[in-house]
Amino acid sequence: MRLRVEFTTEPFDLDEAPAHAVVAREVIEAADLDAVDVGPFGNTAEGGADAVLSALGDVLRRTLGAGATRISLQVNVVEEGER
């Protein structure tokens, strides 16, 4: 099964990326995922279910530890041929 995850961490800072946003980017870019898109207001990644769920666990633990006060996420099953 393939999954696509979209998530944001808060609070936002428009002047400088907060520590929790930097940590989220580092975790998601280091994970064994493909189709990674990291942006200022949200992040998207896709991959096998085990890789996505493992990365999400790391994102949640590490961003909360780095000062995130809210993490919003959506996980979708990616159908064959969909991208």
Side-chain angles (χ1 to χ4, degrees), residues 38-50:
V38 177
F41 300 108
N43 307 286
T44 305
E46 187 176 307
D50 288 340

Side-chain angles (χ1 to χ4, degrees), residues 28 49 80:
I28 213 71
E80 280 299 315

Side-chain angles (χ1 to χ4, degrees), residues 25-45:
R25 180 177 61 229
E26 292 170 354
V27 170
I28 213 71
E29 288 179 340
D32 186 22
L33 302 172
D34 45 65
V36 172
D37 182 24
V38 177
F41 300 108
N43 307 286
T44 305

Side-chain angles (χ1 to χ4, degrees), residues 31 40 66 72:
S72 302

Side-chain angles (χ1 to χ4, degrees), residues 9-79:
T9 61
E10 297 178 41
F12 294 117
D13 183 338
L14 297 178
D15 295 325
E16 181 178 332
H20 58 82
V22 173
V23 166
R25 180 177 61 229
E26 292 170 354
V27 170
I28 213 71
E29 288 179 340
D32 186 22
L33 302 172
D34 45 65
V36 172
D37 182 24
V38 177
F41 300 108
N43 307 286
T44 305
E46 187 176 307
D50 288 340
V52 169
L53 296 173
S54 177
L56 276 179
D58 290 344
V59 165
L60 294 171
R61 280 188 293 279
R62 293 193 50 206
T63 57
L64 290 169
T69 58
R70 178 180 175 143
I71 303 164
S72 302
L73 65 93
Q74 178 175 314
V75 179
N76 294 299
V77 174
V78 178
E79 299 295 333

